[in-house]
Amino acid sequence: TRRPGDGLRVAVLGLGEAGSAIAAGLVGAGAEVAGWDPDSARRVDGVRQAEGAADAVRDADVVLGLS
């Protein structure tokens, strides 16, 4: 079983209130996180800002979609 600190790559689609909190927690646990939101102003420290949904999920081990 892979864990966030083992280099797990996670894509978070939707960086609203819930997505931002999840993404920040994953970064804190050592995961490599790519995030994307239709509102490009939504950003989370430590999260790679993807240019689009396809960019975010391209190399992800896990994809989380939040609306």
Side-chain angles (χ1 to χ4, degrees):
T1 302
R2 293 184 68 189
R3 299 180 190 275
D6 296 337
L8 186 68
R9 295 169 299 199
V10 182
V12 179
L13 306 179
L15 295 174
E17 195 170 320
S20 293
I22 291 168
L26 288 166
V27 167
E32 296 175 33
V33 181
W36 176 79
D37 193 275
D39 179 353
S40 61
R42 290 183 175 165
R43 296 179 181 270
V44 177
D45 288 341
V47 173
R48 180 179 70 80
Q49 186 72 21
E51 294 187 24
D55 178 36
V57 303
R58 184 170 292 116
D59 297 318
D61 298 308
V62 177
V63 177
L64 302 174
L66 299 104
S67 60

